[in-house]
Amino acid sequence: MAQYDIGIDLGTTTIIIAMEGKGVILNQPSVVAVDTRKDQVLAVGDDALAMVGRTPNYILATRPLKDGVISNHTLTKELICRFVNKVYDSKLIKPRVAVCVPAAITGIESDAVVEAVVAAGARQVFLIDEPIAAALGCGIDILKPEGHMVVDIGGGTTDIAVISLGGKVKSTSVKIAGNTFDDEIQKYARIKFNVAIGLRTAEELKKQVACCRPCDFTAELEVKGRSLLTGLPQRLTVTTEDLYEAIMPLAEQIAVAAHQVLERTPPELAGDIYSAGVVLTGGGAMLKGLDEYLAQQLKVKVRVADDPINCVALGTARCLEIGDQLESGFVDATPRLGHR
């Protein structure tokens, strides 16, 4: 039944949908544009993202997910419905859908996810923890009696877990991730340069210029913003060195959280992790210098997955094939809401 199975990485910044055997079939920003006068959704995904910062007052371009969970149920349902209908066109058979969720999600938050996916037409909904999905997506055989550590840095949360025999042994989730880096770069530009820049500009600085530790990498980027002194448009050039002060404290907090998980890990599994190293997944894993910084702090090898952005979605799609072998972090959530 794999052709009727869909895996959804329900991210704060991006929604990625994958199917086992086909790979990623949709990658769109989790943005919705709404006409507030008519309470009508105008666009979702790429079309809505293009409107951010460029709309009249009555059009609101917003992200209905925050810190990896649903903050606006109505808009999230609309978002999921449109995306699922875009990739799944069978009118006869409803799909089974697996959705990844942060490891620290509450029962109320997970029920909201299930309700949104059922409204999109799923006949059965499964929830899988992000670290489990990330490990599956980057090719780790988590069913073996060996310890593996995954640090998944998404848009809203960083999920960290030690996995063995198909389940989580130790895990944690912190609300420091890609969006936090963007926010801090934006704040730092205001303080250091007296210039207001947009979140999309801050994201470009993170991707092209930022580095979380002093090293050989250096870059610069000319950006445009608004002077807080004159109120007029202004250009400025931002360098890698300029951003250390904004980036490094956040990288340090991720390192502390990972260190705490390792401290609680049984000695045998800690030995496995020392041999195999730590795997970074998620878009935030691509921050320059982060793997080297974490390796320095944790005293183990750290590597970035081959396809860090799509790992979670690919693993989420795959989990439906081996779900009966997973000991924890994977659950059939449909019965909670009375759907079978």
Side-chain angles (χ1 to χ4, degrees):
M1 298 296 287
Q3 67 269 34
Y4 304 121
D5 293 344
I6 295 174
I8 301 178
D9 177 4
L10 194 62
T12 304
T13 23
T14 308
I15 291 181
I16 304 175
I17 299 180
M19 295 182 76
E20 180 72 3
K22 293 185 179 180
V24 172
I25 54 177
L26 182 139
N27 184 325
Q28 296 259 349
S30 47
V31 181
V32 182
V34 182
D35 185 334
T36 56
R37 301 173 303 177
K38 303 175 182 178
D39 196 24
Q40 177 183 354
V41 174
L42 300 177
V44 300
D46 287 327
D47 294 337
L49 182 64
M51 300 181 184
V52 173
R54 296 185 172 91
T55 60
N57 292 335
Y58 59 86
I59 295 179
L60 176 66
T62 183
R63 297 185 185 274
L65 295 111
K66 184 178 181 181
D67 298 331
V69 296
I70 295 174
S71 59
N72 186 310
H73 295 192
T74 302
L75 294 184
T76 301
K77 284 182 184 179
E78 184 71 24
L79 195 65
I80 294 173
C81 283
R82 292 199 184 198
F83 285 159
V84 169
N85 290 334
K86 188 172 184 178
V87 301
Y88 191 86
D89 54 6
S90 173
K91 305 300 182 185
L92 299 176
I93 302 177
K94 292 183 177 182
R96 294 193 307 165
V97 179
V99 186
C100 76
V101 293
I105 193 171
T106 67
I108 294 174
E109 291 166 344
S110 60
D111 285 347
V113 172
V114 175
E115 187 179 349
V117 177
V118 169
R123 76 175 189 274
Q124 198 171 14
V125 183
F126 298 85
L127 299 180
I128 182 169
D129 288 351
E130 284 185 8
I132 299 284
L136 286 170
C138 63
I140 295 174
D141 186 351
I142 66 173
L143 300 178
K144 291 183 177 180
E146 298 174 356
H148 298 278
M149 185 171 182
V150 175
V151 179
D152 179 59
I153 309 170
T157 60
T158 292
D159 292 296
I160 304 165
V162 172
I163 302 165
S164 178
L165 284 172
K168 294 182 303 178
V169 180
K170 298 294 177 182
S171 66
T172 190
S173 181
V174 292
K175 293 185 177 180
I176 297 168
N179 291 350
T180 321
F181 285 99
D182 297 341
D183 291 340
E184 288 303 309
I185 290 173
Q186 197 178 31
K187 291 176 186 175
Y188 191 66
R190 297 175 71 95
I191 295 170
K192 184 176 178 66
F193 302 110
N194 286 309
V195 173
I197 60 173
L199 277 174
R200 295 181 71 179
T201 300
E203 185 179 13
E204 285 305 306
L205 285 170
K206 176 186 67 179
K207 290 179 178 178
Q208 298 184 36
V209 179
C211 184
C212 74
R213 61 187 288 272
C215 60
D216 294 337
F217 173 80
T218 182
E220 62 180 38
L221 182 68
E222 184 181 78
V223 299
K224 301 170 185 177
R226 175 174 52 82
S227 170
L228 298 176
L229 302 177
T230 66
L232 300 175
Q234 181 176 329
R235 293 185 180 186
L236 72 151
T237 299
V238 181
T239 68
T240 300
E241 290 76 13
D242 290 328
L243 296 178
Y244 285 143
E245 192 173 336
I247 296 297
M248 291 184 68
L250 301 179
E252 181 180 354
Q253 292 182 63
I254 292 174
V256 168
H259 191 281
Q260 290 172 345
V261 171
L262 277 176
E263 284 181 332
R264 304 196 311 270
T265 300
E268 291 81 3
L269 296 182
D272 292 340
I273 293 167
Y274 184 83
S275 300
V278 175
V279 180
L280 301 185
T281 63
M286 301 174 71
L287 177 66
K288 295 173 183 66
L290 182 59
D291 54 342
E292 297 172 5
Y293 174 76
L294 290 176
Q296 184 182 60
Q297 298 299 309
L298 301 177
K299 312 301 182 188
V300 296
K301 295 178 293 184
V302 177
R303 68 177 178 90
V304 179
D306 293 336
D307 188 2
I309 293 177
N310 294 321
C311 270
V312 171
L314 294 170
T316 302
R318 188 182 170 215
C319 75
L320 290 168
E321 294 295 307
I322 64 167
D324 58 340
Q325 302 176 65
L326 298 178
E327 294 299 322
S328 65
F330 179 80
V331 61
D332 181 357
T334 321
R336 291 187 199 176
L337 301 181
H339 300 283
R340 297 189 181 272

